[in-house]
Amino acid sequence: MLKRDLAPFYYYDHYREMLLFIRQHYTHVLRQSDVDFIDRFMALPRDPAALFVRVCNRKGCHFRLSKLRYEELEDIESLLALLLSEGFVTKAGPHDLPRLLLTLTRDELVEFLDSVSTITSAPWKRSWPKQRLLTIALEQATADDETRIPALQSYSCEFIVQQFEETIAFILFLYFGRLEDNLGRFAMRDLGLLRTSSFEAGYTARFDTAADAWYSFELAQLAQQLKGLASMTPAESAATATWLIAQPQPLTELGTTLYDKCVFRLAARLETTDQLTLAAELYQSSEHATATEKAIRLWHRLDEQRARDLISRIFETPTSDDAYLFALDFQARKYGNELLPTDARYTADQLGLQSANGGKRTSILTDMLRAAGVSRLDEAFRHEPEAALARQWRKPGRLVVHTENRIWRSLFALTFWPQLYESEASRFSSDFQHQPAGLSDGSFYHAQRERIEAVLAFDREQLKTHVLKTLSRCYGRPNSFTGWTSSMAEQLCRFVELAPMAGLRAILRDMVRQYDGCKSGYPDLMIIDSDGLRFVEVKAEGDQLRRRQMMQLLKLREAGFQVSVQRVEWVVDPDQPYVVVDVETTGGNSDYGRLTEIGAVILQREEIIGRWQTLINPGRRIPANITALTGITNEMVASAPPFEAVADDLRGFLGDSIFVAHNVRFDYGFIQQSYRRMEQSIRMPQLCTCAMMKKLKPGLDSYSLKNLTAYFGITMTQHHRAMSDAEAAAGLLKLINRARLAGTNPFNSPQDSNNAFNDPA
């Protein structure tokens, strides 16, 4: 996305854009005072209005007059005088000082204490930390002493106070759907850093009534306040929780999200202060699956009958698949499966549930993970087990793709794009919203049920054609479901061609009915070969199988998909190929420097089985100091190919190996950045011979490539030439892998005959 320049009064234009939008779509939820503010602002001349927007976009509401300086605004004193006369700002008084002081920097706090030194009785020092200075300053500002008023008034008069704070906060909330301090997202949009879209269906208000809007706004403010739980006493927490429990459930999707956020933050505080009964009641007031789980666990500790009653209600009217599955598992483990519902979606046998008296002590999740197959992968892939397993399983005729949630979200978006983005029933509230309202609570499905079911009735070829046409027509459009890639058409076609259609329809219907509960948890890998289509969830050592993941695995199996779990154990694989690389460059920074030479060797079982080397034309002159270091001259690279000409050949040589270099961040960074300039990406697991030597052989004076090769007797023919350095680093890698495979003590002395490092390659 291209970066653009901002116009001088961009922020003023943004503010007017927002207020016009609010006046068009939200008049029904505004108070008269809110409407009056919008009308009065629109009547202001541009420059004073722009100054007010500048003030609004700054943090807080209290500002020092001397800091209100902007290049595009002249005679700010006159502009402020107009804003003062119109009531958009006021001069600060002593009563504003506590809030004013909270906005000051440490140096400004020192200045304040200096200015009121004649009335400051408490001792203080300039060297004190900010918080300690703030405490002293607040004591002076809040002291009930009329003799202090003139001095405090003298200081506070240097500040102004922005008015209409609540109105502006409410308007921002209506527009963005969350609390915002400024219009920074507009600027990011104009700069090309944030993508937005205009939707064919137009826009609708987030709230149908003023009561819904103000209740949600109040919840948003409470959620923000609850971030600072340390300042809330246990009594205040209890009072707030009692108030929240007594409130009605929000009627809007946004309100429900905010309510749940308040519940989690406040209940966590109650648990830390041992107010467990109130915490359980608060969790139970939410229908969020995690809140339900926490409520059941707490009631099980406090009042077993209430836990049983809550589980029974979930069986009767489940609020989500996640909550239902937890209730089944918890019931079986704690109370016995004889009380499980007879019409349960999954039977006790399907889930591997035994009664509490039958000795079961592990959850369904643990049982499924323990039953998984095991793959052993080289430990260099620790940070990307899914990609490593995909590499291991790929072979001619087999497609292995790390899809996870992506392929399901992409299929969902392209299947229902007309309903999501082009229907009059779609509800969008601004350009910054990329997902229509109603996907979480089911109202989206009910509003467009006939159209959605008509799409779900497509046969395999109809669905594939529909998806491809939508992909061609909408490619690149901003949305919250899918990222656009060049390979998605092929992957989606193969997916639809092989998926069980009845099961595919069932999964898509679940997604459109309750998207938030179905948008994640899908298996990591999609595999297509002569055996058909299957999915695999990958779990490395220490990973847990989450309940959402298990729910999706069960649903996919029920829908007719082949699904399994594969565990990964980390080993040192003696057959693992490594590509050892060295690069020479025009400078040390990959953002500015360019490649001049690449040398690479493939090492497998201590044998070099492949070599690749070329000079590179960097497209710029090589500095004299670099030529002195490497011996590579401008004449030598003049006829060499540019990186673009060898990029494909290099990628093929690198293959699926582990990328190794001495100081790997340098070499890998230059290779990666060179591909980025071509708008291509490269991603490989990496191993650094320098870092490994520091770990396995501590205490050496130097870990440079030259000194290490000399220490271990490894041949280096021409230092700072790529192939020579790559072969030298490969010699170090042999020693490193011997130690890793042998499991020798890396802290043994060089004289220890059992140390793999005593046998130079």
Side-chain angles (χ1 to χ4, degrees), residues 9 14 27 56 91 124 147 149 251 278 384 450 484 568 619 645 663 699 714 735 748 761:
F9 286 90
H14 293 161
T27 302
C56 291
K91 290 186 176 181
W124 62 278
T147 63
I149 298 299
L251 299 177
L278 189 55
E384 48 178 23
E450 291 185 8
W484 306 102
V568 169
N663 294 318
I714 297 172
L735 300 181
N748 285 342

Side-chain angles (χ1 to χ4, degrees), residues 670-685:
F670 266 91
I671 296 290
Q672 188 179 52
Q673 188 70 317
S674 297
Y675 279 108
R676 283 175 180 165
R677 292 190 186 100
M678 300 172 59
E679 297 186 352
Q680 295 182 20
S681 63
I682 186 169
R683 183 177 179 182
M684 299 178 68

Side-chain angles (χ1 to χ4, degrees), residues 67-95:
K67 291 196 173 183
L68 298 180
R69 295 291 179 264
Y70 305 102
E71 291 183 2
E72 73 280 8
L73 296 174
E74 299 179 357
D75 194 8
I76 287 184
E77 287 74 12
S78 297
L79 301 180
L80 275 174
L82 178 59
L83 292 177
L84 284 165
S85 66
E86 293 292 331
F88 284 89
V89 297
T90 62
K91 290 186 176 181
H95 60 280

Side-chain angles (χ1 to χ4, degrees), residues 241-400:
T242 302
W243 173 85
L244 191 58
I245 293 170
Q247 299 308 302
Q249 287 295 309
L251 299 177
T252 64
E253 194 173 41
L254 176 58
T256 299
T257 299
L258 292 168
Y259 184 90
D260 292 340
K261 188 178 292 187
C262 292
V263 165
F264 283 115
R265 291 177 179 174
L266 187 53
R269 170 66 176 178
L270 293 173
E271 288 188 81
T272 62
T273 55
D274 291 327
Q275 301 181 82
L276 300 184
T277 299
L278 189 55
E281 291 174 348
L282 185 56
Y283 280 130
Q284 191 171 336
S285 72
S286 167
E287 293 187 350
H288 193 284
T290 304
T292 300
E293 175 182 340
K294 288 179 175 292
I296 291 173
R297 292 187 184 279
L298 278 176
W299 285 131
H300 176 68
R301 293 168 55 189
L302 302 169
D303 187 336
E304 190 171 295
Q305 187 56 50
R306 291 196 65 170
R308 288 173 176 266
D309 292 343
L310 182 52
I311 290 173
S312 296
R313 286 201 293 275
I314 294 171
F315 289 156
E316 293 171 5
T317 55
T319 55
S320 69
D321 290 336
D322 285 358
Y324 187 73
L325 181 62
F326 171 76
L328 284 173
D329 190 27
F330 196 84
Q331 170 72 31
R333 288 191 292 120
K334 301 298 184 181
Y335 307 128
N337 63 19
E338 66 276 4
L339 298 179
L340 293 176
T342 56
D343 59 346
R345 180 172 180 176
Y346 304 105
T347 66
D349 289 338
Q350 283 178 308
L351 299 176
L353 298 175
Q354 301 173 353
S355 68
N357 296 330
K360 180 173 174 58
R361 292 293 181 267
T362 57
S363 70
I364 309 170
L365 307 177
T366 302
D367 293 343
M368 183 175 283
L369 193 56
R370 288 177 178 175
V374 178
S375 291
R376 291 172 174 82
L377 300 176
D378 191 279
E379 63 182 8
F381 294 94
R382 279 186 179 275
H383 298 298
E384 48 178 23
E386 300 86 1
L389 194 58
R391 288 189 185 98
Q392 185 185 76
W393 283 353
R394 285 193 189 106
K395 63 180 183 179
R398 175 185 288 169
L399 175 67
V400 184

